[in-house]
Amino acid sequence: MEEKQGIQKLHKVSLNARNQAMITGVKDVLSFDAGEVLLDTEQGILMIRGNELHVNRLTLEKGEVDVDGRIDSLTYSDSNGYGKSGESFITRLFK
């Protein structure tokens, strides 16, 4: 397994007409369903909320994700300490 040594990928979000998002700098997809996509990015956790969301392209080697559907909101939170304490991610997200 190749180890990343402090090299950050460029994080970029491109949104077209609120129905197609192209995101780079993605480390991991934490969860997704028709109403919400949760991504771990170079700039923190990104929550995409909307309706009929679909992850169309996922290339974690390049850190790229494409999401289609009605996008209502994009929300960031810090990823510091994610998975390291007894608190759930959702609890930390809404502090």
Side-chain angles (χ1 to χ4, degrees):
M1 187 171 161
E2 184 178 327
E3 187 176 333
K4 296 177 187 174
Q5 300 201 0
I7 300 173
Q8 286 191 344
K9 296 177 184 175
L10 179 65
H11 176 61
K12 180 178 176 181
V13 176
S14 178
L15 182 63
N16 296 321
R18 287 184 63 183
N19 61 17
Q20 183 181 29
M22 293 157 284
I23 302 120
T24 63
V26 176
K27 296 181 197 178
D28 196 10
V29 177
L30 302 175
S31 70
F32 64 93
D33 59 34
E36 180 179 279
V37 178
L38 204 56
L39 305 171
D40 185 10
T41 73
E42 295 292 340
Q43 298 294 310
I45 304 296
L46 173 60
M47 179 187 306
I48 302 169
R49 285 192 173 165
N51 294 310
E52 299 179 17
L53 298 177
H54 303 280
V55 176
N56 282 337
R57 185 175 62 96
L58 171 62
T59 311
L60 287 179
E61 294 81 24
K62 292 182 179 180
E64 299 173 347
V65 175
D66 289 352
V67 177
D68 289 345
R70 167 91 178 170
I71 298 170
D72 294 329
S73 70
L74 301 169
T75 306
Y76 283 93
S77 66
D78 289 335
S79 62
N80 295 341
Y82 176 69
K84 291 183 181 178
S85 72
E87 289 184 83
S88 72
F89 167 73
I90 300 300
T91 302
R92 284 192 302 267
L93 182 64
F94 293 108
K95 277 189 174 180

